Amino acid sequence: MEVKEKLKKYSDAEHCPVRNVISHFSSKWSILLLHILAEESPMRFGEISRVLEDISPKVLTSTLKNLESVGLVCRKVYAEVPPRVEYSLTPSGRTLIPALAPLVQWSIDNFASIVGNRGQSGKRS
Amino acid sequence: MEVKEKLKKYSDAEHCPVRNVISHFSSKWSILLLHILAEESPMRFGEISRVLEDISPKVLTSTLKNLESVGLVCRKVYAEVPPRVEYSLTPSGRTLIPALAPLVQWSIDNFASIVGNRGQSGKRS
DNA sequence: CAGCATCCCGTAAGATACTG
DNA sequence: CAGTATCTTACGGGATGCTG
């Protein structure tokens, strides 16, 4: 198939798998969150909050909900007092991690050159 | 290193390679654009516009600039009348494509289940 | 042709306070 | 503890019109 045809087709977000999928975990914390859960599951809400110390509960909630809605994360509620909720990766979520690995590696390898002299030298806001 | 330490470190966007890198091409058209240029380089501004027919010049410009600023795309201006500008992937940009491939594949494989019955059946706006 | 300038909108994301 | 509610800001993205 012609490149142009293919891309014309994928210009429509609804028909582009990559965009459709990426859009779901390209939010600020999604990938980080996935990797946290990949290495340590299950985790409780508060635990995650403590690790991602800069995330607000609201954002964490929405990020988790988003990931849950696309079946990457599993949310398990325990009817206890005090309440306990545990998050973990779904099988589907687990398969995403290795698919992401090369990209992560690339990012690490190219981080320096991408950021240029930022982050490399003493630059810290 | 402890997972938590690692993630605490990466919570700061500036120290997280993945987020830092991904943030640059997680915009709506970036990946599509990269793949277009991966298959057909160089391309002129107008050519790209025609392929990505839904993109506005402004957004295309900013997307290209963004990709250029991180060294993924190369912009070549020809001092002619009428002006001609050609865009192509940099070597760095080319290495990104294969790193993205597994993710793309994963997206394709999991597209259906992610979107659920949307896009599968007749759903079209 | 290849943009830039400008205005507008929707949504991600942050801060803060409150609750089952 | 695990969120929700509300407000506010920042930015991506789109539309339109203009220019070197």
Side-chain angles (χ1 to χ4, degrees), chain B residues 44-46 61 65 75 83 85 87:
Chain B
R44 302 183 57 176
F45 191 91
T61 301
K65 269 191 178 164
R75 180 175 185 269
V85 182
Y87 293 92

Side-chain angles (χ1 to χ4, degrees), chain B:
Chain B
M1 167 158 61
E2 265 298 313
V3 175
K4 294 182 182 177
E5 290 177 38
K6 192 163 61 183
L7 272 305
K8 190 162 292 185
K9 174 182 164 199
Y10 288 161
S11 289
D12 183 355
E14 218 161 334
H15 288 99
C16 177
V18 188
R19 264 170 63 191
N20 214 298
V21 168
I22 284 195
S23 66
H24 283 297
F25 53 77
S26 67
S27 71
K28 183 167 175 184
W29 302 95
S30 302
I31 293 190
L32 214 42
L33 194 45
L34 285 173
H35 279 87
I36 288 173
L37 290 175
E39 302 205 40
E40 196 168 319
S41 279
M43 273 184 96
R44 302 183 57 176
F45 191 91
E47 257 182 297
I48 304 176
S49 299
R50 254 163 278 130
V51 178
L52 267 46
E53 41 179 23
D54 289 335
I55 200 172
S56 73
K58 177 200 154 186
V59 172
L60 178 53
T61 301
S62 69
T63 305
L64 282 167
K65 269 191 178 164
N66 178 22
L67 294 176
E68 190 198 355
S69 76
V70 293
L72 293 172
V73 161
C74 172
R75 180 175 185 269
K76 200 169 232 169
V77 185
Y78 295 85
E80 305 175 352
V81 174
R84 182 160 55 104
V85 182
E86 287 184 348
Y87 293 92
S88 53
L89 283 191
T90 62
S92 173
R94 295 202 175 280
T95 66
L96 177 56
I97 302 297
L100 231 31
L103 179 57
V104 172
Q105 191 55 50
W106 187 94
S107 301
I108 294 170
D109 295 343
N110 293 266
F111 178 57
S113 50
I114 290 256
V115 225
N117 1 36
R118 251 191 48 196
Q120 279 291 74
S121 37
K123 207 280 185 180
R124 283 279 281 121
S125 72

Side-chain angles (χ1 to χ4, degrees), chain A residues 116-125, chain B residues 14-15:
Chain A
N117 359 37
R118 253 190 47 195
Q120 279 290 75
S121 35
K123 207 281 186 180
R124 283 281 280 121
S125 72
Chain B
E14 218 161 334
H15 288 99

Side-chain angles (χ1 to χ4, degrees), chain A residues 3-122:
Chain A
V3 174
K4 293 183 182 176
E5 290 177 38
K6 193 163 60 185
L7 272 305
K8 190 162 294 185
K9 175 182 165 199
Y10 289 162
S11 290
D12 183 356
E14 219 162 331
H15 289 99
C16 177
V18 188
R19 266 170 62 190
N20 214 299
V21 169
I22 284 195
S23 67
H24 283 297
F25 53 77
S26 67
S27 72
K28 184 166 175 184
W29 301 95
S30 303
I31 293 191
L32 215 42
L33 195 44
L34 286 173
H35 279 86
I36 288 173
L37 291 174
E39 302 205 40
E40 197 167 317
S41 280
M43 273 183 96
R44 303 181 57 176
F45 191 91
E47 258 182 295
I48 303 176
S49 300
R50 254 164 278 128
V51 177
L52 267 46
E53 41 179 23
D54 289 334
I55 200 171
S56 73
K58 179 202 151 185
V59 172
L60 177 52
T61 302
S62 69
T63 305
L64 283 167
K65 271 191 176 161
N66 178 23
L67 293 176
E68 190 198 355
S69 76
V70 293
L72 293 172
V73 161
C74 172
R75 179 175 185 268
K76 199 170 231 168
V77 186
Y78 295 86
E80 305 174 353
V81 175
R84 183 158 56 103
V85 182
E86 286 183 348
Y87 293 93
S88 52
L89 284 192
T90 61
S92 173
R94 295 203 175 280
T95 66
L96 175 58
I97 302 297
L100 230 31
L103 179 57
V104 171
Q105 190 56 49
W106 187 94
S107 300
I108 293 170
D109 295 343
N110 293 266
F111 176 59
S113 50
I114 289 257
V115 228
N117 359 37
R118 253 190 47 195
Q120 279 290 75
S121 35

